[in-house]
């Protein structure tokens, strides 16, 4: 309920806006991030600054985490001075994308300390985090889901995937693979069209009125590729991490990932050429260079 104290660990590009929405809803926050500039705007609004993840979990009823990699999630949840060392919180909501293996490991580690993991990765980017229009995939015990629903609804639309940790992560990885795949194939099709003489803006309009439309043609190309800004708001390094996790998990399940392996390789090339901090729409720049065209309009 609004008014209870929540902890938020990781208040960066995604966690910061989500924390802000919780404050807008009337929750009192205890926040922690390794970067002081990430917590400063929230502290200015009245959030309380903690000195460690354990401190957050000792001062809040429910802890939310929005972190970049599986290793960081494991360290923050289970490491020295981590959430599991806190004395108050009994529910931990992980909004990060870690893959099902990490979610299961963290869930077991927290369970040993009397805490329950809510596996709740989100999709929709920074814009969705700011506007509260994220897709929130959730797996946790049903009774816990009923407890956290009012909190998670502040972020967007909820999708309950079941009671086992890691199921929501599987759904998130499947989505992020498709998002990256759409960007790769749209880049190739657009490069061919532009090199063949079609205006880039006209071709995007044609695709979006036809059967080839997808998330890249409808959103990423108009916003970040055609203007040449390459600033959609999701880094190449994170996309590469998510697709690697997806392909690895699929292979472990015995599910073939023929297209997925190609998408992973395209992200590996983009990551090597433009760096992990580059925007993942830079995939289109790789294709532009190979094709000898520029897709602008």
């Amino acid at each position: 309920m609004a008014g209870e104290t929540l902890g938020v660990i990781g208040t960066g590009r995604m966690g910061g806006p989500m924390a802000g929405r919780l404050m807008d809803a009337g929750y009192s926050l205890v926040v922690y991030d390794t970067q002081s500039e990430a917590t400063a705007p929230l502290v200015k609004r009245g959030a309380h600054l903690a000195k460690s993840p354990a401190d957050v979990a000792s001062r809040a009823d429910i802890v939310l985490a929005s972190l970049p990699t599986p290793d960081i999630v494991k360290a923050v949840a289970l490491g020295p001075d981590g959430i599991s060392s806190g004395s108050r919180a009994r529910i931990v909501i992980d909004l990060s994308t870690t893959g099902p293996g990490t979610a299961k490991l963290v869930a077991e580690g927290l369970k040993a300390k009397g805490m329950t993991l809510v596996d709740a990765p989100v999709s929709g980017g920074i814009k969705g985090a700011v506007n509260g229009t994220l897709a929130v995939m959730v797996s946790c015990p049903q009774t816990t889901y009923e407890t956290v629903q009012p909190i998670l609804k502040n972020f967007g639309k909820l999708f309950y995937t079941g009671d086992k940790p890691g199921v929501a992560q599987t759904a998130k990885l499947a989505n992020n693979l498709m998002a990256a795949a759409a960007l790769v194939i749209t880049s190739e099709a657009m490069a061919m069209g532009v090199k063949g003489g079609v205006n880039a803006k006209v071709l995007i309009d044609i695709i979006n009125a036809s059967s080839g439309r997808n998330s890249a043609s409808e959103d990423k190309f108009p916003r970040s590729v055609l203007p040449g800004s390459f600033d959609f708001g999701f880094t190449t390094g994170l996309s590469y991490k998510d697709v690697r996790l997806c392909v690895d998990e699929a292979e472990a399940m015995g599910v073939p990932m023929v297209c997925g392996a190609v998408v992973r390789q395209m992200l590996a090339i983009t990551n090597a050429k433009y760096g992990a901090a580059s925007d993942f729409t830079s995939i289109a720049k790789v294709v532009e260079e190979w094709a000898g065209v520029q897709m602008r309009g």
Side-chain angles (χ1 to χ4, degrees):
M1 66 185 73
E4 68 185 325
T5 300
L6 303 179
V8 180
I9 300 172
T11 55
R13 300 174 80 188
M14 290 293 290
M18 286 190 281
R21 292 193 63 81
L22 293 176
M23 295 190 78
D24 291 342
Y27 291 100
S28 176
L29 295 192
V30 178
V31 298
Y32 174 78
D33 194 288
T34 56
Q35 306 297 317
S36 59
E37 61 268 23
T39 55
L42 297 166
V43 171
K44 188 175 182 180
R45 288 187 57 185
H48 303 282
L49 183 64
K51 60 185 179 182
S52 69
D55 189 28
V56 173
S58 295
R59 297 166 64 181
D61 300 296
I62 295 173
V63 176
L64 299 90
S66 179
L67 301 164
T69 69
D71 286 344
I72 292 175
V73 168
K74 285 185 280 190
V76 166
L78 307 177
D81 221 14
I83 294 169
S84 60
S85 298
S87 59
R88 178 173 168 180
R90 287 295 171 261
I91 295 176
V92 180
I93 302 172
D94 186 17
L95 304 161
S96 320
T97 303
T98 63
T102 294
K104 292 171 186 174
L105 186 152
V106 170
E108 285 301 313
L110 292 175
K111 184 178 180 181
K113 299 286 188 173
M115 298 176 175
T116 300
L117 175 71
V118 177
D119 177 21
V122 300
S123 181
I126 296 170
K127 183 179 179 182
V130 171
N131 296 331
T133 56
L134 295 169
V136 186
M137 294 143 270
V138 189
S139 55
C140 64
Q142 181 68 45
T143 53
T144 305
Y145 180 59
E146 291 168 5
T147 299
V148 301
Q149 263 186 303
I151 297 168
L152 295 176
K153 281 182 176 178
N154 289 286
F155 305 146
K157 187 173 182 179
L158 309 188
F159 298 88
Y160 183 65
T161 63
D163 60 0
K164 294 181 175 59
V167 177
Q169 289 293 331
T170 300
K172 174 63 188 295
L173 293 183
N175 175 80
N176 280 24
L177 170 66
M178 293 186 69
L183 187 53
V184 172
I185 196 62
T186 303
S187 297
E188 292 183 351
M190 286 291 295
M192 182 197 74
V194 170
K195 195 156 190 177
V198 187
N199 176 272
K201 176 63 169 59
V202 172
L203 183 52
I204 277 291
D205 289 344
I206 291 169
I207 290 169
N208 287 336
S210 306
S211 57
R213 66 187 179 277
N214 59 67
S215 61
S217 68
E218 290 183 326
D219 193 10
K220 298 174 183 70
F221 261 73
R223 279 177 55 186
S224 300
V225 178
L226 297 188
S229 56
F230 300 98
D231 59 353
F232 186 75
F234 189 53
T235 68
T236 299
L238 288 178
S239 183
Y240 183 32
K241 178 262 294 183
D242 291 352
V243 171
R244 286 200 324 268
L245 280 171
C246 184
V247 174
D248 289 347
E249 293 285 351
E251 289 176 347
M253 295 176 191
V255 177
M257 278 275 169
V258 178
C259 291
V262 173
V263 175
R264 177 176 60 181
Q265 198 61 27
M266 281 297 298
L267 278 161
I269 293 165
T270 307
N271 193 67
K273 185 171 181 61
Y274 293 105
S278 67
D279 195 84
F280 87 137
T281 54
S282 298
I283 287 172
K285 287 201 281 188
V286 173
V287 176
E288 284 182 330
E289 182 179 334
W290 290 349
V293 296
Q294 275 202 333
M295 300 174 277
R296 303 287 182 271

